[in-house]
Each structure stands twice: as structure tokens, then as C-alpha cells.
Amino acid sequence: MSSQNWLSLLPDALLLLSLPVMFLVNRFREAKTAKTFYTLAKLFLVLSLLAVLVFYDYSGYPEWLINNRYTTLFKVIIYLLAFAWFFLSLKWFLNKERSSLGFYSLSMIYLTMLSLLLSAQHLGIVGAAGLMVMGCNYFMIRLSRDETPETQAVQRRYLIFSMIFALALLAGITLLYQGAGSLHYTELYEFLSRPGSVTPLQLAAIVLVLCGFLYLIALAPFHFWFADVIGTSILPVGGFLTIIPAFALFGCLADLILNVFFPVYGVIKPLLLGCAVLSIILGALSANGENNIRRLFAFATLYNLGLVYLCVVKMNDNSLLSAFVYLLVYILSISGIYTAFFGFKSRGEYLLKLDDISGIAEVKPYIAAAFLVFMISLIGSPPLLGFLGLLSVLNNLVIQGSYLLIVVTLVSLLLIANAYLRVIQAVYFNERHEDFDRADYGIYVCLFINLMIVLISLLNPRYLMNDVEKILFAIF
């Protein structure tokens, strides 16, 4: 049992082991570049991924952490996404001639916390890992050297609100412990299932925990930090925060609701439903008023996450599968969008404004074409992969009989499509103002691989539907 205990923790230990190695290299090696820390992070990430695959069913401490096919699915996906994003981020650090130590070390801590959240069977671990995620977000924001009044204000606001929601999360966990006498998932579930055991105070505690989680996910009305952070942070940080946490936090929240809070789900369901609908509406509306392309796609992320959790609300096998499919389709598309951002560069600066990328299709037709494909996929237009995700969402709403929500979804879809059309107009039809820098070949390679994954999934959607279905149902 002792060896199994250690082996079950090996993936997380490998991620954390990269930290002292990187700091020792930084301290004692004179010839070090941004590529040095990328190579170390890549090495330990690959080793951790292999450990996850080999020891996927090892659970040495099942009362605290559990590993199964469900957690393995999410960990493998976020590790692969992180691997690709690490490679792209290297281009930014090399171009800026900056040390990548801070970014890669924070990313490894972040991935460790997300891994613990996915495996957690104890609310104490959820609280500790959640606080660490908030802290990693803050220090990642601080990696920007552009200390303008705007960025400083964003950093201060994020710190203040994170402290508030961290206290809310800890307060909720403390109150649940006082009522149930335990924070283990199974014991909490049994406590909440007992007739008359759930008081208004316990319900308030559950709401506080959920609010802390929804703040991490950045669902409306807890989304106020996300667009500001994405719009002012450096490109590696903005892409990481957009792509990686969304997947892991989805898996953790679904597990938390089904295996802890489900006995009182009827009471807390309106909170999740309200946040999902509000996210769809606010995301679609806000995207139309943006000239900062990263903020625009941050609001598009809010819209898409709203659709994901609109599916989750029903909380059954079909709704969970629909939400997973849509989320995976969205992640593939937004990853392609952010990859294209690396090609939007002029005189060594990565462009932020919509006006700055006007006419870029004239000189970078391949990047512009890939950018267009991924935007059309995000809209959910056939025959692209996004249509499969949108169809999955609408099919789930039809099964539920939620026709009003279908109307809200379709109207919001028209609004978000209008925002994307503004981007398409700038890229293809507006007059060019900038002389764009030559894009690195690695960007074209990543765009090609992403397009191939989208194409294969489109030609054989069984990989997205049937093959993951049994794995997802392991959570029930």
C-alpha cells in the first residue's frame, strides 16, 4: 500500500519537482535563455503525463484524492493543451528577449493545483487548491512589465476581489465542517441526504463555496475580472488563463455537485442556471462593443462558458456529455484563435486593437484563413466542428423542453456572430495600416495541427461522442 500511495502522487510530485530544478538552473547556470526553462517545463510535463497514463487507477489515499478514468481524461487534456501552449509561449519570450522562468514555474504550480482539484475527495483540498489558483492568477498578471495605471488598477482589483471570494470559499467550507463534522465527499453527501439536516446556514455555506468556484470559472456575474485581466496581461498568460483552467474547473465542479451537493441540488440549481444565462447574454452583448481583440474573445469565452453550464444545469448523463462536447469544441477553436494572435505582430509588438490588424489577410493569407475557420467554428456554423458542439447544446435543451432557453441561445448567437463579423471585416476588408512582421514557422505548424484535429473530429465525431461517454459516466 505504501508504494501505491507514492505512485498515486507521482504526477503531481513531478510537476512540483520542476520548480527547484528550474530555480537551481537559474541560479547556477550562466548560459540560460527562455528556451532553457521551456525545455525543463516540457520535460517534467511529459513525465507527469506518462505517470498519469500509467498509474491512472492508483488511489493510495482514496479518502483525500482519487484517480480514475474520469480524472485521467481531464488531466490528459489539460496537460496536452499546456504542452502546446508552452511551445507557443516560448515564441513570445524569445521575441521579447525576456526570461520565461516566472511563467513556466507558475504554470507548473497551476497545473498541479488543477490536478489536485480534479482528484479531490475532500473539501479541504478544494479550498487550498482554489486559493492557490487565485494566487497563481495574481502572480501571472504581475508578469506584465507594462506598469501603466490601467494594468496596476487591474492588478489591485483582482487582488481585492480574490481576497473576498477566497474568504467566501473558506467561510463556506468552515460552516459545512461545523454542521457535518467532516469535509470528505462521501460523508458530506450522506449528511446532506439526511432529512432535516440541512439548515439555512448550511445552504448559505454551499452557496458561498459555489460562488468561490464560479469566480474562478469567471461565470457572470463573477466575470468582472476576466476580460480586464486577459486584455492587459501578456499573451502567454492571457492564452493560458483562457484555455487551460476552463477544462479542469468544469470537471471539478461537475464532480463536486454530483458527489457532494446533489441532495440539495434543487435549491442551488437556480444559481447555476442564472449564472449560465447571464453569461450568455452579457458575453454576446459585451463582445460587440470591444476594439481590444483579446477582450473581445474574453467576452466570447464568457458566452461559450455560459452555453457549457447551461447544459450542465440539468446534471444528468446526457447534459454532462453535451457540455463536455461543446467545451472541447470551444477549447480547440479558441486555441486556434490564440495561436493566430502570435502572427499578429508589427515591429516586434503583438497587436491588441482591432484596427491594428486591418487588412492582415493581404500579407498573411494562411494565418487569416485559419483565423476565419476557427471563428466560424466558434459561431457554430456547419460544416465546421463548432456546429457539432452547438447541435449538442441545442439537442440537450430540446430534450429538457427548455424552449425559452433555446430562444435566448439563438438570439445571443446572432449577437456574438455580429462581433465576429466585425473581426472578419477588419481582417479581410479594411485597409491595411501596419507593416506586419514575419511569423515564425512554428505558428504555422501549430495552426496546421489544430486544423487537422478539428478535421479528424469532424469526419469522425464518434471520438467526441461515444468514446468519452463511458469515461464521463464514471463520475455518477
Side-chain angles (χ1 to χ4, degrees):
M1 184 63 178
S2 176
S3 61
Q4 184 172 341
N5 290 350
W6 286 107
L7 289 175
S8 66
L9 298 176
L10 183 60
D12 305 313
L14 286 170
L15 290 175
L16 292 178
L17 183 60
S18 66
L19 300 178
V21 174
M22 282 193 279
F23 285 112
L24 286 172
V25 168
N26 183 62
R27 175 67 177 83
F28 295 106
R29 182 175 178 179
E30 294 184 5
K32 53 183 181 290
T33 65
K35 191 173 182 180
T36 303
F37 302 110
Y38 158 72
T39 303
L40 291 172
K42 177 182 67 174
L43 172 63
F44 281 96
L45 184 60
V46 169
L47 291 175
S48 182
L49 175 60
L50 291 175
V52 166
L53 292 171
V54 173
F55 305 114
Y56 74 94
D57 59 346
Y58 276 49
S59 299
Y61 304 93
E63 68 279 11
W64 296 90
L65 299 164
I66 191 168
N67 296 316
N68 53 31
R69 291 187 300 166
Y70 177 85
T71 62
T72 300
L73 172 66
F74 283 92
K75 289 180 183 181
V76 168
I77 291 174
I78 64 172
Y79 287 0
L80 290 176
L81 290 171
F83 184 85
W85 191 249
F86 283 2
F87 171 75
L88 285 167
S89 297
L90 175 64
K91 310 298 180 184
W92 189 94
F93 288 104
L94 290 175
N95 178 67
K96 293 292 185 179
E97 297 181 347
R98 283 182 51 179
S99 172
S100 61
L101 173 62
F103 172 74
Y104 287 118
S105 57
L106 285 170
S107 296
M108 298 302 271
I109 298 172
Y110 210 126
L111 289 171
T112 305
M113 295 305 110
L114 293 177
S115 177
L116 291 176
L117 283 171
L118 284 168
S119 295
Q121 294 295 299
H122 191 280
L123 271 187
I125 293 177
V126 171
L131 295 185
M132 287 293 292
V133 167
M134 293 182 190
C136 285
N137 285 343
Y138 175 71
F139 286 108
M140 278 190 163
I141 299 168
R142 293 292 303 272
L143 290 177
S144 174
R145 291 182 179 175
D146 183 19
E147 292 296 330
T148 63
E150 181 185 6
T151 59
Q152 291 177 347
V154 169
Q155 293 168 9
R156 285 195 300 268
R157 284 198 299 270
Y158 179 79
L159 180 60
I160 292 170
F161 284 114
S162 293
M163 291 175 64
I164 293 172
F165 282 95
L167 290 174
L169 180 62
L170 291 177
I173 292 174
T174 302
L175 290 173
L176 283 173
Y177 179 77
Q178 290 177 347
S182 175
L183 292 177
H184 296 292
Y185 280 14
T186 53
E187 295 178 14
L188 278 172
Y189 187 94
E190 292 174 0
F191 170 76
L192 296 175
S193 301
R194 297 172 197 160
S197 63
V198 182
T199 65
L201 185 63
Q202 300 298 326
L203 288 176
I206 293 171
V207 169
L208 287 173
V209 172
L210 288 178
C211 286
F213 239 90
L214 295 176
Y215 175 76
L216 286 175
I217 296 170
L219 278 185
F222 310 103
H223 70 292
F224 40 80
W225 63 274
F226 187 70
D228 287 339
V229 165
I230 299 303
T232 58
S233 60
I234 61 176
L235 183 54
V237 169
F240 185 94
L241 296 182
T242 300
I243 297 168
I244 311 296
F247 225 100
L249 294 174
F250 165 80
C252 181
L253 184 62
D255 187 19
L256 195 62
I257 292 176
L258 281 170
N259 293 311
V260 181
F261 299 142
F262 198 72
V264 295
Y265 184 62
V267 180
I268 60 177
K269 179 179 177 180
L271 172 64
L272 192 59
L273 176 61
C275 290
V277 173
L278 194 59
S279 297
I280 293 171
I281 297 172
L282 289 180
L285 286 173
S286 301
N288 279 275
E290 279 298 333
N291 187 44
N292 183 312
I293 54 175
R294 295 184 201 169
R295 282 178 59 89
L296 189 155
F297 282 99
F299 285 118
T301 295
L302 178 64
Y303 162 82
N304 283 283
L305 289 180
L307 286 177
V308 169
Y309 287 94
L310 190 62
C311 282
V312 171
V313 165
K314 191 66 175 178
M315 203 52 70
N316 57 31
D317 51 0
N318 184 70
S319 67
L320 185 61
L321 178 61
S322 298
F324 178 87
V325 170
Y326 188 88
L327 182 59
L328 185 57
V329 169
Y330 157 73
I331 291 295
L332 288 173
S333 300
I334 201 67
S335 297
I337 294 290
Y338 267 88
T339 302
F341 284 170
F342 282 95
F344 297 163
K345 187 173 63 171
S346 177
R347 294 185 290 275
E349 295 296 325
Y350 292 89
L351 303 176
L352 283 172
K353 301 297 183 182
L354 197 57
D355 297 337
D356 294 338
I357 63 171
S358 295
I360 195 172
E362 180 183 339
V363 292
K364 296 188 180 299
Y366 299 114
I367 292 179
F371 194 55
L372 175 63
V373 168
F374 290 123
M375 274 193 292
I376 294 176
S377 184
L378 281 176
I379 295 172
S381 174
L384 297 179
L385 187 60
F387 178 68
L388 174 63
L390 182 61
L391 184 64
S392 180
V393 172
L394 294 176
N395 178 64
N396 182 62
L397 293 177
V398 169
I399 293 174
Q400 297 177 27
S402 305
Y403 299 109
L404 179 59
L405 294 180
I406 293 175
V407 172
V408 171
T409 300
L410 293 178
V411 171
S412 299
L413 177 62
L414 293 176
L415 292 172
I416 200 71
N418 183 67
Y420 293 153
L421 286 174
R422 290 176 55 235
V423 180
I424 294 171
Q425 178 184 353
V427 170
Y428 277 94
F429 302 107
N430 288 357
E431 184 179 354
R432 180 163 60 93
H433 307 304
E434 301 283 351
D435 293 323
F436 300 102
D437 296 347
R438 183 178 179 180
D440 188 279
Y441 284 117
I443 296 171
Y444 291 100
V445 171
C446 289
L447 285 173
F448 178 77
I449 293 173
N450 199 328
L451 286 170
M452 287 300 99
I453 293 173
V454 169
L455 180 61
I456 291 170
S457 300
L458 177 63
L459 294 176
N460 194 351
R462 179 176 61 87
Y463 291 120
L464 289 182
M465 300 297 287
N466 298 332
D467 288 357
V468 302
E469 188 172 359
K470 293 180 181 179
I471 298 177
L472 288 175
F473 294 171
I475 193 177
F476 290 95

